[in-house]
């Protein structure tokens, strides 16, 4: 399958470099380029990309706002946020907005290509540096009670087995790892993940993981609820 990719970055040199690098992959087709988040809706409608590679810092509409608007629409393409910095609040906002990946611009070219492929296949992607920082942020900053309570109430909507799968997603486990840990087939895991997304109104596995973090389940042994 050919992955249709839209590149959005206000720096023409960056766009040119990304086009040259990603366009060399046999399974990736660059279908369009944009210089600002304001252009994204029209470009997506015109080119129907599978993945949007989105810069954060742009002059009129930044990449985070553009991602929020884009992912709020039905049938939206996946978004990989590409940036030179990785502030905690930017990572969290991008992921809560529905971005499926967050990759630093100094990531090796081959890894950016792999990130696009993985996101197109439905697998969320974070640079190792971003993952470490995000996890450190979560560990160092206890969630405010309202957010924790709200997250716990949302997870309470899940059936027991769905809740176990959600916890495993929050722990960063792959479908195969979840299947082995919970003694079920990979197709069954995928079905549970789909049901979780539908029940909770989420876009992807990253948002499931963030909700589990917000609920504080990973702070407890085996993800058990507080008495």
């Amino acid at each position: 399958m050919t992955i249709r990719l839209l590149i959005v970055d206000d720096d023409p040199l960056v766009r040119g470099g990304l086009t040259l690098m990603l366009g060399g992959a046999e399974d990736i087709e660059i279908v369009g380029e944009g210089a600002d988040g304001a252009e994204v809706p029209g470009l997506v409608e015109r080119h129907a990309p599978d993945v949007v590679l989105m810069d954060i810092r742009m002059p009129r509409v930044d990449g985070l706002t553009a991602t929020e608007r884009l992912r709020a629409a039905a049938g939206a393409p996946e978004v990989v946020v590409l940036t030179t910095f990785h502030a905690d609040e930017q990572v969290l906002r991008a992921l809560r907005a529905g971005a499926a990946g967050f990759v630093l611009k100094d990531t090796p070219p081959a890894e950016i290509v792999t990130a696009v492929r993985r996101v197109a296949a439905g697998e969320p992607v974070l640079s190792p540096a971003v993952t470490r920082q995000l996890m450190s942020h979560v560990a160092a900053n206890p969630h405010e009670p309202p957010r924790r309570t709200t997250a716990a109430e949302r997870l309470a909507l899940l059936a027991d087995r769905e809740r176990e799968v959600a916890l495993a997603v929050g722990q960063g486990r792959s479908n195969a790892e979840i299947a082995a840990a919970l003694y079920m087939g990979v197709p069954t895991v995928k079905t549970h993940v789909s049901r979780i997304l539908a029940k909770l109104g989420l876009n992807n596995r990253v948002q499931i993981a963030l909700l589990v973090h917000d609920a504080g389940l990973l702070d407890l042994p085996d993800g058990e609820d507080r008495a």
Side-chain angles (χ1 to χ4, degrees):
M1 183 187 78
T2 299
I3 301 167
R4 297 174 59 82
L5 180 66
L6 171 66
I7 298 174
V8 184
D9 193 299
D10 64 330
D11 187 333
L13 291 178
V14 172
R15 290 200 309 273
L18 290 171
T19 298
L20 181 64
M21 175 182 66
L22 293 164
E26 294 182 356
D27 56 342
I28 296 177
E29 177 187 0
I30 310 299
V31 296
E33 297 181 18
D36 192 85
E39 302 174 21
V40 170
L43 290 170
V44 167
E45 183 177 1
R46 188 178 314 130
H47 300 293
D50 300 305
V51 177
V52 178
L53 192 58
M54 185 95 72
D55 186 25
I56 284 187
R57 288 179 171 173
M58 292 184 284
R60 290 185 296 163
V61 177
D62 64 80
L64 296 179
T65 299
T67 297
E68 289 170 343
R69 294 174 180 174
L70 179 61
R71 292 297 299 170
E78 299 292 351
V79 176
V80 177
V81 174
L82 185 67
T83 186
T84 55
F85 63 106
H86 45 81
D88 294 330
E89 64 275 11
Q90 303 291 354
V91 176
L92 289 168
R93 183 180 166 191
L95 299 180
R96 293 188 196 286
F102 198 108
V103 181
L104 302 181
K105 287 185 177 179
D106 60 2
T107 300
E111 292 183 21
I112 296 179
V113 172
T114 298
V116 170
R117 288 171 175 159
R118 287 184 58 186
V119 166
E123 301 177 22
V125 173
L126 294 177
S127 292
V130 172
T131 302
R132 287 193 297 271
Q133 186 175 25
L134 180 58
M135 293 303 99
S136 296
H137 174 80
V138 171
N141 296 275
H143 298 294
E144 55 270 41
R147 173 173 286 177
R148 175 165 288 187
T149 300
T150 300
E153 289 174 349
R154 293 183 70 189
L155 289 173
L157 299 174
L158 303 177
D160 290 344
R161 205 58 164 163
E162 292 167 348
R163 187 181 176 86
E164 291 177 351
V165 171
L167 175 60
V169 170
Q171 293 168 335
R173 298 186 182 187
S174 66
N175 285 341
E177 290 170 338
I178 295 172
L182 298 181
Y183 303 103
M184 62 176 69
V186 171
T188 303
V189 174
K190 292 180 179 179
T191 297
H192 282 309
V193 170
S194 295
R195 288 175 178 169
I196 292 167
L197 294 173
K199 280 188 176 182
L200 302 182
L202 302 175
N203 284 299
N204 54 44
R205 295 168 68 99
V206 173
Q207 291 186 327
I208 295 176
L210 287 172
L211 193 63
V212 170
H213 278 288
D214 284 351
L217 296 185
L218 299 186
D219 301 339
L220 303 171
D222 300 322
E224 295 178 355
D225 292 319
R226 286 181 175 82

